Amino acid sequence: MTEVSRVVDVPPDAVFAVLADGWLYAGWVVGSSHIRDVDENWPAVGARVHHSVGPWPLHIQDVTVVRAMEPGLSLSLEARGRPLGAAAVALTLVPHGDGKTLVRMTEHIIRGPGKVLPAALQALFVKPRNTESLARLADLATGKHANAKTGHPEP
């Protein structure tokens, strides 16, 4: 299992607000290129984000499914990209000082060709991608939080 973490300068509820908006999924998940639909009950267990993975015109259309969720605390997903496989992804939000959040993201491949690769080799691909995903998540959460505090509408 590969883990990355990042401290974000907003409280956990501000980070979770981004995770809870399935339409923002492609904005922070590296590799996800287009959101086609989001189940109305996202991020409830079993809800799905219908997304495309990869660059156009080579899109793979699939879904990410919520496997577990604790509002404001954690979100566990099964990210699919058939025929490449699927990964279990978990995001945990921990209060970190005054108004900050430690975000931990873990991922491990659960199906597909990558599952046979040793964990160290998987990490060579997963860790940089997830580090960038957390940077994007931090930017979205910070921007949404700042807009909410100033009363500016979201873009």
Side-chain angles (χ1 to χ4, degrees):
M1 180 179 328
T2 301
E3 180 176 320
V4 296
S5 63
R6 180 184 186 99
V7 175
V8 182
D9 291 331
V10 297
D13 62 327
V15 177
F16 196 80
V18 175
L19 299 175
D21 185 343
W23 290 102
L24 294 177
Y25 186 84
W28 65 270
V29 175
V30 173
S32 180
S33 56
H34 177 74
I35 303 301
R36 299 185 320 278
D37 195 16
V38 177
D39 288 359
E40 194 174 294
N41 61 336
W42 179 270
V45 173
R48 300 174 299 169
V49 168
H50 306 258
H51 56 76
S52 300
V53 177
W56 183 88
L58 305 174
H59 286 162
I60 297 170
Q61 295 188 356
D62 221 319
V63 298
T64 290
V65 182
V66 177
R67 293 298 179 210
M69 186 269 297
E70 292 184 61
L73 298 174
S74 66
L75 185 63
S76 296
L77 306 169
E78 180 181 318
R80 300 177 187 166
R82 290 174 283 204
L84 302 175
V89 178
L91 294 121
T92 305
L93 312 178
V94 180
H96 189 79
D98 189 30
K100 296 181 180 184
T101 306
L102 173 64
V103 182
R104 288 190 186 113
M105 182 178 190
T106 61
E107 179 174 346
H108 68 279
I109 299 171
I110 56 174
R111 281 193 304 281
K115 186 176 178 184
V116 299
L117 297 174
L121 192 54
Q122 288 181 30
L124 289 175
F125 299 101
V126 172
K127 192 169 187 170
R129 185 186 75 231
N130 288 353
T131 298
E132 175 62 19
S133 289
L134 287 188
R136 294 176 184 190
L137 177 62
D139 289 344
L140 283 169
T142 301
K144 280 181 65 94
H145 186 68
N147 284 343
K149 284 174 60 175
T150 61
H152 292 295
E154 293 181 33

